[in-house]
Amino acid sequence: MSVCSQVNVSLFQECFDLGPFHGLCKPHPDVLKMPRKPSIQEDGDKSNQTSQETESASSQTFAHIRGQEAAVQQDGTVGVSHAELLLDDGRGTDSKASPTHLLETAEKSAFHPVYRGASNAFCIHVFCVDEKHETRSLDFLDHVFKLFPDKDFCVILVPHNVPEFHLIQSFVRVVPFCTSKCDHELYVFHRAGLLKSFNVRRATTSDVLGVKMLVKTLSLNENILNDLEIFNLFRRDPDGTPVQAFVAEVLDQIVGISVIRDEMDIEYVRSHYNIEDFINFNYYQQEEHGHLYHFALNPIFHHYTKHFLKEILRLAHKSSLYYPIYPQYVEGEFQNPRAHSLTSALHYMVPVRPRRQIVYPLEELGINAPSEQVSKDQLSYSLNHINRKLLLESRASINTKIVVVGASDVGISFLETLVFCPHLKFNNLTLISIHGLPGKDLLGSKHRRFLINSHCFNDEDYAQMSLCSWVNVVVGKMTGINRAAKYVVVSKEKKVPYDYLVLCTGQKYQVPSPTGADISKLPTNREVTSKWPQRYTGKVPSNHFTLNDDQDCSRATCWLKENLVSSEGNVIVYGNTIDIYTTVETLLSLGIAGSRIHLVQPPLGSSVTCLNNAEVEGAVQDALSSAGVSVHWDSVLARWGRGSHTDLIAWAAFTTNTKPFQLQCSAFFNFAYRRVDFETFKAISDARLVFDGRLVIDTKFRTSDASIRAAGPLTKYSRRYYADEWTHSNFSSKEVGFELATSMLDLLHPTRTPSPKPPEGTEGLIPMYRGCKIKGGVLPGGYHFVHISKPEIPIRLDLELALHDHGTEMVTGEARRGNYFRMHINKYRVVDSITCFSKEPVPVSNYTCLYGQHERLLNDLYYRWNEGQITDFYSYFREPWSMAIYHDRFIDLKKELRQILMLEQVPGPPPAEPPPDEPDEERPCPPLLLDPIVRYLRRHRSHLPMYAPARTNAAAPTAAGGQGLRTSSGGEVPARGGEPAGGRSSEFILLLR
């Protein structure tokens, strides 16, 4: 080990958040207190980084150690970083700082302390130890600190791509600023960390003063103290929930506090989160599950966190702990009445994926509906978990700087996949986005209806991911890329360095440039089309709206309510995408009369319309006419005029195939054309990346720079693949993001193995993803529209129906009556697409499960429809038999049964085919298939209580032609909880092709 006392402390202060360690400086006699108000991060919406985020701080620090004793120096208070003080819901928006010895602030917009004290650190330059003895690495520090008796901190710089070795696992990783110029990770160790007298015990009334000193700078210190008082006085909450509190002490000084309660809602946790990926509930008792409410530990003892947790589990007689992070939709307002402080232990906990839930038709199910513990609605949250086994394992830390540009569905899916890797911790994930992370708006607000919904993510999904707990967020727009220095320029000011850059900006609606045609000369579209569309370079009027995300929609809603809803004037909606219809419906729902709305549609770029369904289009046109909305076809924007004293659009003129026309305008909504944003294009072009209408990539998401990846509608495949018509726009964005993350994991996994070579002859083929694409929204007339389809190149529906191998179209209801349901089954009898057009909300997540299923699995759908037994698909797919298909674990049962059928382990000759007139219900069920089905129904009985317990007798499930399983039982068969059905019909499922 080579050590040095010369440390460039000022550089570290510029690049890292050293608040918890007083900037690695000694106290200075000139003291100014920092303002007691939330500070604004330099990167706008900087979130909690996984390591430093997890650290709460004490108001004291161990300053000097002589031998094995430490004297507490009260004026050497350790400050608290921004990330540490975000103690409400773990999201990092309300930060306070401790009264450290500060002299000035560097900026008005962001608080950066300047420390004038002498350096209080030495650094390790070189460290090498034989692998056999690396577990004794910490023994060096005891002797090294003796060489520097006037220094309290030991620091070490480690390159990003170096895995954490044994020595630095006892150090504290310091959070780098997103704009840090340092290309290394900084780790810090305090002299007091060598103390071995770290003791954990139950809290007592005499600990209150010590705990108060420990948490006095934390934003939710009162909550911690109140819960500690409840424990000391009553040992349980007013509702009877047991409460336990534990403290950690070193040399009789309180350095940590934790408060837990019994987890009383474990059935909800089990049914809504994939917690069984980590534990087997069959081996756990109800009282073994604990709920972690508070966990604060002095950061210099951070390496004792696992020991603290182990002792909590032992003393509390628990086997697992759960820690929720609730969303904060309104900044500064806590949505959870019992707010949790940010836990220092989050770094060691694993985030748990949420489970897709069934949308239950509760009225149809009646008493066979699931219990309230499963089906109840409550505020969604992100769940983190730790248990005894996980405490004995270590998650590999990945310090590689990964910068994602664009909060599109692809980018969010990419980040979600990395964050939920149970065995990896990504410490340097950064998102650059104009509006930060999505999902911060109020639930159910009407402005969400302006744009069509891809159904990749919703507010509940964002709340259950809590990406802000793991991802740094830089608010701004990418305006440059320096490939040589490997940094991104944001808003022409900030520089965000990267090791890998991932571009997922997608395409956006652009402000249309009027053609400039003089309408007094009566021009037609033929004369001006060559000048359209072009990029608009002038100042955008304030009543012109180009909506690309939820924040744009929210601003438009506010403007309309303030300026237009209660006044007069026309609203022009310009474009020919499906968003024009959802926007018109939103305008009508806001109270704007249809007679004031003008829908102007430019000429189509192809023969495929946005709805691509004549019956649905007819119903929408009827709804527009009924509402009084004027529709103008094949119209191109020629000019717009502004008011005499304002920058508002006062009128707009359009050319058509015959004669032009002019409209008064009070608000202009533009959906004319989508392109790659100009500033994004310029940044890509200036960086010399290959751009051919879109950013060019290969089949591994690589651009012409190996350290820059890209995905989504921003991209296209290289021409050498001869697949210009296929882009990521043809596929599910969520699946593309997942595959992008998978390709990155192959590079970053510490134990990665070389990827297998693709099959011979497939090197020049593009990947074809199989997930379905979804679009949905509320169209004029209040119709709920959902279209689920396979990845495909768009083709007119009438031409598709004319194909000889098209398959079968199944339609029930009529679009104009609001009960239209169209299902297409291909030539292989597999569901290829679903179109719903209904007056009632559509359970999209349920119907998504139908995509890709064989019609025999859907209770002999083709036969029943041909026989006229199905007159309403909406009612048909609400019947109890279908609930198991919507279950998130149904795919596991399918795989198990398919494997059994493939093995063909049943001895003897094949069973004789039953007579054609014999009912399916009488066909015998293969015994090997019965047990997995029964296990499945019993294991998931909380979700599927509408199925009666199966019995291996005549009433047991039977097979349909050897390809599917279906039975029904009635009368006295127990339907739920052992109760007789009392004459009700309890149906089983048709289970697997």
Side-chain angles (χ1 to χ4, degrees):
M1 178 181 287
S2 172
V3 294
C4 178
S5 62
Q6 299 298 320
V7 178
N8 192 347
V9 174
S10 60
L11 176 62
F12 291 165
Q13 293 171 359
E14 291 178 6
C15 300
F16 299 93
D17 186 0
L18 289 169
F21 310 103
H22 196 255
L24 301 180
C25 293
K26 293 183 178 294
H28 192 275
D30 296 329
V31 177
L32 292 179
K33 293 185 177 181
M34 191 178 86
R36 303 284 293 186
K37 62 181 181 180
S39 62
I40 303 174
Q41 291 290 342
E42 63 175 357
D43 49 2
D45 189 20
K46 185 178 186 302
S47 64
N48 307 325
Q49 188 57 279
T50 51
S51 1
Q52 196 71 18
E53 162 201 38
T54 60
E55 300 178 10
S56 300
S58 73
S59 60
Q60 305 160 339
T61 184
F62 290 80
H64 299 285
I65 301 176
R66 296 294 181 263
Q68 292 297 320
E69 295 184 357
V72 179
Q73 181 175 320
Q74 297 296 340
D75 62 349
T77 301
V78 171
V80 184
S81 71
H82 301 296
E84 292 169 336
L85 287 168
L86 312 175
L87 294 183
D88 168 42
D89 55 358
R91 296 200 57 169
T93 53
D94 179 27
S95 58
K96 300 179 182 178
S98 64
T100 55
H101 306 294
L102 311 175
L103 294 178
E104 56 185 334
T105 59
E107 300 175 317
K108 293 182 179 180
S109 60
F111 183 83
H112 285 285
V114 176
Y115 303 90
R116 296 293 177 82
S119 173
N120 193 25
F122 64 91
C123 66
I124 298 176
H125 278 183
V126 179
F127 176 73
C128 182
V129 64
D130 190 284
E131 186 177 356
K132 298 178 181 178
H133 306 288
E134 64 177 354
T135 56
R136 304 302 300 271
S137 300
L138 200 61
D139 294 349
F140 281 83
L141 295 184
D142 188 26
H143 299 279
V144 171
F145 272 107
K146 292 179 180 178
L147 299 177
F148 301 96
D150 60 331
K151 307 288 187 182
D152 290 330
F153 295 100
C154 173
V155 300
I156 183 172
L157 283 172
V158 180
H160 294 306
N161 57 351
V162 174
E164 284 189 348
F165 46 92
H166 198 275
L167 177 65
I168 62 173
Q169 289 177 358
S170 299
F171 281 57
V172 179
R173 177 181 171 272
V174 184
V175 174
F177 293 121
C178 291
T179 55
S180 170
K181 302 175 184 177
C182 185
D183 57 353
H184 287 66
E185 293 290 322
L186 178 64
Y187 290 83
V188 176
F189 188 89
H190 191 275
R191 179 187 295 271
L194 294 170
L195 294 173
K196 305 296 184 183
S197 59
F198 188 90
N199 180 47
V200 180
R201 58 173 175 79
R202 291 185 184 274
T204 63
T205 53
S206 60
D207 297 324
V208 174
L209 181 60
V211 172
K212 188 176 296 185
M213 290 293 294
L214 176 72
V215 302
K216 70 177 183 180
T217 59
L218 307 186
S219 59
L220 286 184
N221 53 2
E222 293 183 0
N223 294 55
I224 299 175
L225 295 174
N226 290 339
D227 287 342
L228 178 61
E229 183 181 7
I230 290 175
F231 168 74
N232 285 329
L233 294 179
F234 309 109
R235 295 295 197 267
R236 61 184 63 246
D237 284 331
D239 61 0
T241 305
V243 180
Q244 300 186 66
F246 304 92
V247 296
E249 59 180 1
V250 175
L251 299 179
D252 299 325
Q253 180 179 331
I254 303 298
V255 298
I257 173 68
S258 178
V259 178
I260 70 170
R261 291 175 167 85
D262 283 6
E263 180 55 72
M264 307 303 292
D265 212 7
I266 194 62
E267 192 61 37
Y268 179 88
V269 170
R270 184 180 185 181
S271 61
H272 283 73
Y273 297 88
N274 281 305
I275 193 65
E276 290 180 287
D277 290 346
F278 305 100
I279 63 174
N280 189 331
F281 269 90
N282 295 332
Y283 298 103
Y284 282 70
Q285 299 295 326
Q286 171 75 31
E287 60 273 10
E288 291 185 77
H289 301 279
H291 188 119
L292 183 64
Y293 271 78
H294 309 291
F295 188 105
L297 182 63
N298 190 312
I300 64 180
F301 298 106
H302 180 268
H303 54 292
Y304 283 120
T305 301
K306 276 194 173 184
H307 176 70
F308 196 179
L309 289 170
K310 289 176 186 176
E311 288 296 283
I312 291 173
L313 292 176
R314 181 181 67 85
L315 296 173
H317 303 289
K318 303 296 181 187
S319 297
S320 61
L321 293 175
Y322 305 90
Y323 176 74
I325 298 177
Y326 284 87
Q328 189 170 329
Y329 295 107
V330 181
E331 188 169 349
E333 296 183 13
F334 302 140
Q335 301 296 313
N336 180 28
R338 182 182 288 173
H340 293 54
S341 64
L342 176 65
T343 171
S344 304
L346 191 61
H347 181 67
Y348 295 97
M349 305 183 85
V350 293
V352 185
R353 280 187 177 275
R355 294 178 60 177
R356 179 176 47 80
Q357 298 298 304
I358 301 173
V359 181
Y360 293 100
L362 298 178
E363 292 185 3
E364 285 84 347
L365 292 176
I367 64 171
N368 285 328
S371 65
E372 186 180 352
Q373 288 182 317
V374 174
S375 61
K376 66 180 178 181
D377 292 329
Q378 66 177 48
L379 185 63
S380 300
Y381 56 83
S382 169
L383 184 68
N384 301 275
H385 170 74
I386 194 67
N387 59 51
R388 292 175 178 175
K389 179 183 177 181
L390 292 174
L391 282 171
L392 299 177
E393 301 174 355
S394 59
R395 298 169 66 196
S397 291
I398 307 295
N399 290 326
T400 304
K401 286 190 174 181
I402 302 175
V403 176
V404 179
V405 181
S408 62
D409 289 337
V410 174
I412 296 299
S413 178
F414 171 80
L415 291 171
E416 177 197 28
T417 305
L418 297 186
V419 164
F420 283 96
C421 284
H423 55 287
L424 297 177
K425 289 180 297 186
F426 288 88
N427 294 330
N428 275 322
L429 296 176
T430 301
L431 174 67
I432 299 174
S433 174
I434 299 175
H435 299 298
L437 282 168
K440 295 183 293 186
D441 300 308
L442 291 173
L443 294 172
S445 54
K446 288 186 177 181
H447 65 79
R448 302 300 298 272
R449 296 168 60 182
F450 271 106
L451 299 176
I452 205 71
N453 190 352
S454 67
H455 289 280
C456 289
F457 301 100
N458 54 33
D459 284 335
E460 184 177 2
D461 296 327
Y462 294 127
Q464 292 176 335
M465 286 189 287
S466 187
L467 289 181
C468 59
S469 298
W470 312 100
V471 180
N472 290 311
V473 179
V474 179
V475 177
K477 177 180 284 189
M478 179 185 71
T479 55
I481 303 173
N482 191 318
R483 291 169 53 189
K486 300 188 79 168
Y487 65 79
V488 177
V489 180
V490 180
S491 302
K492 300 181 180 180
E493 297 177 355
K494 306 169 190 172
K495 297 178 180 179
V496 181
Y498 67 85
D499 293 320
Y500 285 99
L501 178 63
V502 180
L503 302 178
C504 304
T505 55
Q507 295 186 335
K508 300 181 182 300
Y509 286 114
Q510 307 297 312
V511 179
S513 179
T515 61
D518 187 356
I519 61 173
S520 62
K521 298 181 179 180
L522 304 179
T524 62
N525 287 344
R526 181 180 299 179
E527 301 170 35
V528 302
T529 303
S530 60
K531 302 178 182 180
W532 180 87
Q534 295 181 358
R535 188 174 68 89
Y536 183 74
T537 57
K539 182 181 179 182
V540 180
S542 57
N543 63 339
H544 178 282
F545 301 99
T546 303
L547 308 181
N548 288 298
D549 52 37
D550 297 336
Q551 284 73 18
D552 293 339
C553 298
S554 179
R555 285 198 296 268
T557 301
C558 294
W559 191 93
L560 290 170
K561 290 180 178 179
E562 294 175 2
N563 300 281
L564 199 63
V565 172
S566 58
S567 62
E568 298 296 328
N570 292 334
V571 180
I572 297 176
V573 181
Y574 182 57
N576 50 27
T577 65
I578 194 172
D579 292 317
I580 62 175
Y581 296 122
T582 53
T583 297
V584 168
E585 170 60 21
T586 303
L587 295 174
L588 293 171
S589 68
L590 289 173
I592 299 175
S595 59
R596 298 169 56 192
I597 301 174
H598 292 265
L599 183 58
V600 183
Q601 296 187 263
L604 289 173
S606 68
S607 60
V608 182
T609 62
C610 58
L611 292 173
N612 197 21
N613 187 306
E615 188 167 354
V616 172
E617 288 173 352
V620 171
Q621 294 304 321
D622 289 348
L624 291 173
S625 300
S626 300
V629 177
S630 301
V631 182
H632 309 270
W633 304 96
D634 295 332
S635 304
V636 178
L637 178 64
R639 293 174 179 268
W640 61 38
R642 311 195 184 202
S644 56
H645 302 290
T646 65
D647 67 339
L648 302 178
I649 298 176
W651 56 267
F654 302 87
T655 59
T656 66
N657 294 328
T658 54
K659 62 179 181 179
F661 64 93
Q662 180 174 313
L663 298 173
Q664 184 274 336
C665 179
S666 296
F668 192 101
F669 285 84
N670 164 56
F671 303 98
Y673 70 104
R674 268 197 185 105
R675 295 290 187 275
V676 175
D677 180 74
F678 177 75
E679 290 183 317
T680 301
F681 157 74
K682 191 173 186 306
I684 292 172
S685 179
D686 292 345
R688 302 296 188 268
L689 297 174
V690 179
F691 193 92
D692 181 16
R694 303 186 188 190
L695 180 58
V696 176
I697 60 172
D698 63 7
T699 57
K700 299 294 184 182
F701 305 96
R702 294 174 295 203
T703 65
S704 52
D705 187 327
S707 61
I708 300 179
R709 309 296 170 103
L714 167 70
T715 65
K716 63 172 291 187
Y717 289 111
S718 173
R719 293 196 178 190
R720 70 175 183 268
Y721 297 111
Y722 299 97
D724 290 346
E725 292 183 331
W726 285 99
T727 68
H728 287 169
S729 301
N730 300 104
F731 304 107
S732 166
S733 295
K734 192 171 185 178
E735 186 178 7
V736 171
F738 173 81
E739 295 297 336
L740 172 62
T742 302
S743 67
M744 292 291 292
L745 287 173
D746 291 340
L747 292 172
L748 302 173
H749 201 289
T751 60
R752 67 179 182 270
T753 57
S755 300
K757 293 184 179 180
E760 187 176 353
T762 62
E763 293 85 356
L765 301 180
I766 64 172
M768 298 299 291
Y769 308 112
R770 298 186 177 183
C772 60
K773 281 182 65 67
I774 309 172
K775 59 181 179 181
V778 183
L779 304 187
Y783 295 107
H784 294 264
F785 171 77
V786 174
H787 182 63
I788 303 170
S789 64
K790 65 180 180 180
E792 60 185 352
I793 298 172
I795 181 174
R796 276 173 46 188
L797 182 60
D798 57 344
L799 298 179
E800 186 179 352
L801 293 174
L803 298 176
H804 69 280
D805 60 348
H806 174 64
T808 305
E809 295 283 320
M810 301 181 180
V811 178
T812 64
E814 298 180 11
R816 287 175 172 81
R817 294 185 178 181
N819 61 350
Y820 178 82
F821 194 116
R822 170 186 172 269
M823 179 177 287
H824 170 231
I825 295 178
N826 64 19
K827 60 182 180 180
Y828 303 108
R829 300 286 184 89
V830 172
V831 178
D832 237 3
S833 68
I834 297 172
T835 303
C836 298
F837 194 75
S838 170
K839 281 288 188 179
E840 300 296 328
V842 177
V844 181
S845 61
N846 284 0
Y847 293 165
T848 304
C849 301
L850 303 178
Y851 171 80
Q853 305 288 7
H854 194 275
E855 57 88 14
R856 290 294 301 275
L857 182 69
L858 307 180
N859 213 356
D860 277 340
L861 177 68
Y862 183 77
Y863 170 80
R864 294 176 185 273
W865 184 77
N866 271 340
E867 293 296 318
Q869 298 178 13
I870 302 175
T871 58
D872 182 10
F873 276 136
Y874 292 105
S875 299
Y876 183 72
F877 290 116
R878 283 199 302 267
E879 293 177 3
W881 64 266
S882 63
M883 295 298 110
I885 298 179
Y886 307 146
H887 194 266
D888 62 327
R889 307 288 171 83
F890 182 67
I891 187 173
D892 299 330
L893 175 65
K894 285 179 60 179
K895 291 179 179 178
E896 183 178 1
L897 296 182
R898 182 175 180 82
Q899 185 177 9
I900 293 173
L901 292 173
M902 294 292 290
L903 290 177
E904 293 288 346
Q905 293 181 353
V906 181
E913 287 291 330
D917 56 348
E918 182 178 345
D920 288 342
E921 284 77 2
E922 301 301 326
R923 300 180 186 181
C925 173
L928 287 176
L929 300 182
L930 181 58
D931 289 342
I933 297 171
V934 174
R935 284 199 306 270
Y936 170 79
L937 294 175
R938 287 177 176 171
R939 183 177 182 183
H940 304 295
R941 188 156 182 77
S942 59
H943 279 106
L944 304 171
M946 64 289 301
Y947 293 90
R951 296 179 295 182
T952 54
N953 54 22
T958 57
Q963 294 183 350
L965 301 173
R966 179 181 67 252
T967 67
S968 63
S969 61
E972 301 302 320
V973 178
R976 184 182 182 191
E979 291 183 9
R984 289 178 288 106
S985 174
S986 246
E987 297 192 5
F988 284 80
I989 188 170
L990 169 69
L991 276 175
L992 182 73
R993 174 175 169 77

